[in-house]
Amino acid sequence: MAGHIISIIGGKGGVGKSQVAANLAFAYAGELRAKTLLLDFDQKACGDQNIITGLKSKKNIKELSEFSGAIDPRSIQLFTAEHKSGISFIGMPTEPIAANQINEEGLGKALKAMVNIYPVIIIDAGSELSPLALKALEFSTLIFLVASPDLLAVNQCRRMYSDLTTMLFPKDMIQILVNQAVNGHPVSPEVIGKQIGKPVFHAIPKDDGSCIAALSRSTPVIVGAKSSPFGAGVTDCARKLIQKNVLKTLERLTKPTDAGAASQASRNGDSASDDKKKDVWTELKGRIHKSLVEEMDFKKQDDNDPKAKIILREQTKKLVVELLGKEDTKNILPTREDMNRIVKEILDEALSLGPLEDMLADKTISEIMVVGPKKIFYEQSGKVKKSEITFTNDRQVMNVIERIVAPIGRRIDEKTPYVDARLPDGSRVHAIIPPCSIDGCCITIRKFPDKRLNYKDLVKFGSMTEEMADFLRISVEAHRNIVVSGGTGSGKTTLINLLGGFIQSNERIITCEDSAELNFPQDHVVRLETRPPSLEGDGEIDIRCLVKQTLRMRPDRIVVGECRGGETLDMLQAMNTGHDGSMTTVHSNTPRDAISRLETLVQYAGAGLPQKAIKEMIASAVHMIIQQSRLDDGSRKILYITEIGGIQSDVVTLQDIFVFKQEGMGKDGKIQGKFMATGFIPKFIETLEKKGYKVPRGLFMNKTA
C-alpha cells in the first residue's frame, strides 16, 4: 500500500516552518511506530534541517535527484541518515550553488518510488513556490501552510494559498497550521483563518525556551522535551491527523501534475514562437487580475443591483487602465484596439463570465460547451463548432462556475463535483469538475432565447405544421394530459413552454423543476425548484417532494420539467385524480419507448406495484405523447403526435395522429420530408363536439396539391 507525503511550506520565512516539519516527522514516527522519512527541500536555508535534527545524511537531495538506479529499501540506505526513533533523513546540499542545481524531474521519480517504502514522508518545502517545492506538492497528499500570529506572515500565507488554489491544488488538500500561537493575542487562529479564507487546522503554542534549547543541542524538541508546550502541540497535530484518518480521506483528491512545469515554462518563456505573443498577453492579464484582487473586494458586490454593477464596472475599468499604465505594454498593446480588447477581457474575467460573455451575447448561438480551459465548443444553426476563444487556466473556468452557482445558493467542490444551475436570463447550466471530469472543469450552457418562441416560430422553423399547432392548442385547452418525449437537446423544454402558453389565463399553474427553465406567459404561475443537500448532507428537496407539495397548493395544472425517478408515480396519480391538463417530459426515442420508460420510472418509487397495474395507470392517466427529436442535420421536429387509446391484453394501445415522414437528404445537407396526418380522429374530439366545441375535421386530413 502506497504511503503519504506531507509537505510543510511557509508563506514567509521566520515562522518556524522547518522546526515544525522536523518535529512533525519525529512525532509521526513515535505515534505510528513506523519508519518515517524526512526530506529537506528548502533551497534557501541550506542545511537548517541538519542543525535541527542533529543528522547528516550520507548523500544529499541533489545526489538523489541524479541517481539513475532503482530506488528500493536497500538502495535508499545509501542516502539516508538514521535516527534511533525511526526517522530516516536526507538533507539539502549546504552550498547554495549545488542546491540550485537539483534535477526536479529526477527527484519526482524518486518520490514516486519512496512512497512504496515509507508509510509517511515529511518534506520541508521552504517558503517559496519554486519548481522544487511544486514538485514536492504534486506528489503530496497534504500541504501544511504554516503561519504565525504576525500580520505580514498571515498576508504572505494568504497570497500563497491563493496561488496554490489558482494552480488547481484542491482546497481540502491545503491546511493551515499556526505556529507560535499565543492565548489572547489579537491575531488569533480564528482571525488568521478569516484572513486566509480557510479555518485553521491546528495551532502550536509559542515556546521559545524549548525550541532554542533544542536547537543548541541539535536535538528535535519531540526527542528532548516531548511534554513541553511546543512538543505537545506538534504531537497533538500528528494524533489529529492519524485519528481523523485525514491522509486516507485526502488521497482521493485529484492534484495537478504539471504545476512545476507550467511555472518553469512561464519563467523561462519556453513556448513556441506562434504562441509567444499569446503567452505574454495571458501573463499580462494574469498580473493585472492579481493586482485587482489585492486592491478590490469583489465579494462585496451586490449581484442583484444593476446600478451597483454598472458603478463597480466603471470603478474596476478605471483601476485596470491605471494598472496597465504602470506596465511596459508598448510591444504587447501597440494599438488602441488592443488596449480596449485587453481591458474588456480583464473586466469580463473579474466581473462576469470571462470568455463566455461574447458567446452569451451572440443570439445565433444556442449552446456553449466548455471542455477544460483550452477547448470551447458552441452550437450554431444546429451544428457544433469549435471556438478560437479559450480560458487562461482551469482556475479561471472554476471561477466562472462559482460565479454562476453562488447567487442561486448552489455549491460545487471536490465532495460534490457537479451542479445544475441557471443564469439570470433562465439559461440552463450544468458544470462538473475534477476528479469526475478528467480533462478539467466542464460547463454546458443551454441558452434561453430572449424572445419567447410561439407556435408561429416553430411552424416557420419547420418543427410542425399549422394544423399540428392548432391540434395541440385544442388538446391543451381540452385538459389533455401530455407527455413530451425526446432525447437530450431535442427541444422538449421549448415545446412544453409552447404548450404552456396555450393554457387559459384563469387557471393556476404550478411548475416543478431541478433548475427553473419554464417561462409561461400567464400571471398565475407558481414556480418550484429543487434544492441540493447542504454541506452536512441534509436539507435536500427533490422533485418528488415538490410534486407532493403541489397537491396541497390547489393546482389546476401541474407541470413537471422532467420525470426521471419516483416522482413519475406521484405525477401519474395527480393526472388520475382531478388534475387533468398536466404535462411533463421524459427521455425516450419513440412513443412506445416512452410508455416503457414511464413503467420503469414508476418502479423507482418503490411502491411494489404489479406491472399490469402500472400499465393501467399510465393508460388511464396519460392522454397523449408528443415525440420531439433532433435530426441528423441539426433541425428539431415533432415526429409523432400520438394518442393513448387504453389497454388491451396487457399492452397499452397507441394511435398516431400526426407523423413526420422522411424522404431523403437534400444537396445542402438538409433532411427532406413532410408532416402527414394519419386520418385518425382522436376520441376526445367527439366529446368536445358534444359539449358544443367546433373542431374542424380538416385538421386530420392531408392537404392535396
Side-chain angles (χ1 to χ4, degrees):
M1 184 177 174
H4 300 284
I5 297 177
I6 302 174
S7 288
I8 318 291
I9 193 164
K12 178 178 177 293
V15 295
K17 168 264 314 166
S18 294
Q19 273 208 326
V20 169
N23 282 279
L24 185 61
F26 278 84
Y28 238 108
E31 295 298 316
L32 280 179
R33 300 189 182 281
K35 288 185 75 65
T36 302
L37 177 63
L38 174 64
L39 300 175
D40 186 2
F41 277 31
D42 192 344
Q43 293 166 293
K44 295 291 184 183
C46 307
D48 277 8
Q49 286 293 355
N50 297 5
I51 299 169
I52 295 169
T53 60
L55 299 172
K56 185 175 180 181
S57 55
K58 297 168 189 172
K59 293 186 178 181
N60 58 44
I61 290 291
K62 180 177 183 294
E63 292 167 309
L64 176 64
S65 73
E66 296 167 350
F67 182 62
S68 58
I71 301 290
D72 55 38
R74 179 173 294 179
S75 63
I76 196 68
Q77 292 178 8
L78 300 172
F79 297 87
T80 59
E82 306 293 332
H83 192 276
K84 60 183 180 180
S85 64
I87 286 290
S88 299
F89 170 67
I90 305 178
M92 176 65 63
T94 54
E95 293 295 325
I97 295 175
N100 289 319
Q101 292 175 343
I102 293 171
N103 178 4
E104 294 91 13
E105 293 304 316
L107 211 50
K109 293 176 183 176
L111 288 174
K112 196 171 183 179
M114 288 189 292
V115 292
N116 296 313
I117 303 172
Y118 296 93
V120 174
I121 300 173
I122 307 289
I123 298 179
D124 177 0
S127 300
E128 293 182 1
L129 293 178
S130 63
L132 182 59
L134 288 170
K135 183 57 66 177
L137 302 187
E138 286 173 17
F139 285 90
S140 298
T141 304
L142 170 65
I143 302 170
F144 266 137
L145 195 48
V146 182
S148 63
D150 169 53
L151 289 176
L152 291 177
V154 173
N155 184 54
Q156 292 303 314
C157 194
R158 179 176 64 84
R159 174 191 58 79
M160 186 168 283
Y161 177 68
S162 175
D163 289 344
L164 288 171
T165 54
T166 299
M167 294 176 192
L168 285 187
F169 285 97
K171 293 180 181 179
D172 286 350
M173 177 187 178
I174 309 163
Q175 297 295 331
I176 309 301
L177 197 59
V178 175
N179 189 30
Q180 304 170 5
V182 180
N183 285 334
H185 195 284
V187 188
S188 64
E190 291 75 21
V191 171
I192 293 172
K194 287 180 181 177
Q195 287 290 320
I196 296 173
K198 185 176 182 70
V200 170
F201 178 83
H202 189 72
I204 301 170
K206 186 172 184 176
D207 185 10
D208 290 344
S210 299
C211 292
I212 293 169
L215 280 174
S216 64
R217 296 194 303 268
S218 287
T219 304
V221 177
I222 292 292
V223 175
K226 186 176 180 179
S227 59
S228 65
F230 180 85
V234 174
T235 302
D236 288 344
C237 181
R239 286 174 180 168
K240 191 173 181 180
L241 289 170
I242 295 167
Q243 291 169 2
K244 292 193 173 185
N245 218 3
V246 173
L247 297 178
K248 189 72 176 174
T249 303
L250 296 180
E251 70 179 356
R252 294 189 291 270
L253 297 179
T254 302
K255 297 170 278 292
T257 56
D258 59 352
S263 176
Q264 186 68 35
S266 172
R267 268 190 298 276
N268 297 339
D270 310 342
S271 45
S273 57
D274 291 343
D275 295 333
K276 195 167 185 179
K277 185 177 180 181
K278 190 174 181 181
D279 288 345
V280 172
W281 180 281
T282 302
E283 287 174 13
L284 175 60
K285 285 203 305 181
R287 290 195 300 272
I288 300 300
H289 190 71
K290 191 173 182 180
S291 300
L292 269 180
V293 172
E294 291 173 357
E295 297 200 27
M296 295 188 72
D297 186 1
F298 294 107
K299 292 181 179 179
K300 291 182 179 179
Q301 62 173 304
D302 186 356
D303 292 323
N304 297 318
D305 186 351
K307 291 183 179 178
K309 281 186 176 182
I310 295 170
I311 294 170
L312 180 64
R313 191 173 182 91
E314 287 303 316
Q315 290 174 343
T316 310
K317 184 177 181 180
K318 184 178 178 183
L319 183 55
V320 169
V321 173
E322 289 177 6
L323 292 169
L324 285 170
K326 297 175 184 178
E327 295 271 348
D328 183 10
T329 59
K330 290 181 181 178
N331 296 326
I332 308 171
L333 307 172
T335 66
R336 182 178 292 275
E337 287 73 17
D338 289 328
M339 174 65 82
N340 292 337
R341 181 181 153 211
I342 199 168
V343 169
K344 181 185 182 300
E345 288 184 11
I346 294 170
L347 289 174
D348 285 344
E349 290 173 17
L351 303 174
S352 304
L353 303 184
L356 303 184
E357 280 296 312
D358 289 337
M359 290 187 177
L360 289 168
D362 190 337
K363 309 297 183 187
T364 64
I365 294 177
S366 57
E367 197 148 2
I368 302 168
M369 296 150 278
V370 178
V371 186
K374 301 303 178 187
K375 289 189 285 187
I376 302 177
F377 298 89
Y378 60 94
E379 183 185 65
Q380 195 171 41
S381 303
K383 296 293 184 182
V384 175
K385 304 173 185 177
K386 187 175 182 179
S387 171
E388 295 182 0
I389 303 170
T390 62
F391 285 90
T392 305
N393 51 43
D394 228 332
R395 182 66 237 175
Q396 192 187 349
V397 188
M398 190 66 191
N399 288 341
V400 167
I401 296 172
E402 290 174 347
R403 196 166 283 139
I404 291 170
V405 303
I408 59 172
R410 302 286 171 106
R411 63 184 179 85
I412 187 167
D413 50 36
E414 289 86 1
K415 294 178 182 175
T416 312
Y418 49 84
V419 69
D420 282 312
R422 67 179 184 278
L423 296 179
D425 66 355
S427 297
R428 181 168 62 192
V429 180
H430 177 270
I432 187 164
I433 63 172
C436 290
S437 175
I438 297 170
D439 297 321
C441 302
C442 292
I443 309 172
T444 308
I445 300 176
R446 180 80 55 79
K447 286 176 64 178
F448 199 86
D450 291 337
K451 175 180 173 288
R452 190 177 184 280
L453 296 177
N454 56 38
Y455 76 92
K456 291 181 179 178
D457 294 314
L458 295 191
V459 170
K460 181 182 175 183
F461 297 153
S463 296
M464 65 171 82
T465 62
E466 286 274 4
E467 290 75 18
M468 292 165 70
D470 290 339
F471 173 69
L472 291 178
R473 178 190 292 277
I474 292 167
S475 301
V476 172
E477 291 178 353
H479 286 80
R480 297 288 87 189
N481 292 325
I482 297 173
V483 172
V484 177
S485 163
T488 301
S490 60
K492 298 188 299 297
T493 304
T494 301
L495 181 56
I496 211 166
N497 255 323
L498 168 72
L499 297 176
F502 293 149
I503 298 173
Q504 293 92 327
S505 60
N506 62 343
E507 296 191 48
R508 176 175 168 88
I509 309 166
I510 302 180
T511 66
C512 306
E513 300 172 84
D514 280 323
S515 182
E517 295 176 81
L518 297 177
N519 181 27
F520 296 159
Q522 293 85 351
D523 189 40
H524 199 165
V525 179
V526 181
R527 304 171 74 202
L528 305 181
E529 187 177 59
T530 61
R531 186 179 73 183
S534 65
L535 286 168
E536 293 75 27
D538 51 19
E540 180 180 12
I541 298 173
D542 60 13
I543 285 278
R544 189 170 191 190
C545 176
L546 293 181
V547 173
K548 289 178 179 178
Q549 298 309 308
T550 62
L551 302 178
R552 302 181 180 90
M553 297 171 65
R554 201 258 176 222
D556 289 313
R557 310 256 191 167
I558 300 172
V559 182
V560 176
E562 181 183 344
C563 282
R564 57 164 68 95
E567 67 274 3
T568 309
L569 174 61
D570 301 290
M571 184 70 188
L572 292 174
Q573 287 180 324
M575 288 176 170
N576 256 333
T577 55
H579 299 96
D580 284 342
S582 297
M583 291 179 270
T584 187
T585 70
V586 295
H587 275 84
S588 58
N589 295 324
T590 65
R592 178 61 63 187
D593 287 346
I595 299 294
S596 301
R597 174 83 170 146
L598 289 171
E599 290 177 32
T600 304
L601 294 176
V602 168
Q603 292 173 347
Y604 285 0
L609 296 173
Q611 198 76 17
K612 185 175 181 181
I614 296 173
K615 289 182 177 180
E616 288 175 349
M617 182 186 298
I618 294 170
S620 174
V622 181
H623 299 135
M624 283 173 50
I625 296 175
I626 304 172
Q627 183 66 41
Q628 176 83 18
S629 294
R630 180 180 173 184
L631 304 183
D632 294 340
D633 63 352
S635 63
R636 295 169 173 86
K637 297 184 186 298
I638 294 176
L639 297 190
Y640 299 94
I641 297 179
T642 303
E643 184 182 43
I644 294 181
I647 187 166
Q648 292 181 358
S649 302
D650 292 343
V651 177
V652 177
T653 61
L654 301 177
Q655 181 62 55
D656 295 335
I657 302 167
F658 292 96
V659 297
F660 176 76
K661 185 178 179 182
Q662 184 172 335
E663 297 176 336
M665 187 80 74
K667 294 180 180 179
D668 57 355
K670 295 291 184 182
I671 286 176
Q672 294 179 337
K674 59 183 178 181
F675 293 99
M676 299 179 63
T678 62
F680 177 80
I681 298 175
K683 295 178 181 179
F684 76 92
I685 295 296
E686 294 181 5
T687 307
L688 285 178
E689 288 176 339
K690 289 176 183 178
K691 292 181 180 179
Y693 289 91
K694 291 183 179 180
V695 180
R697 296 296 179 105
L699 289 177
F700 310 106
M701 297 173 61
N702 292 313
K703 291 181 179 179
T704 55

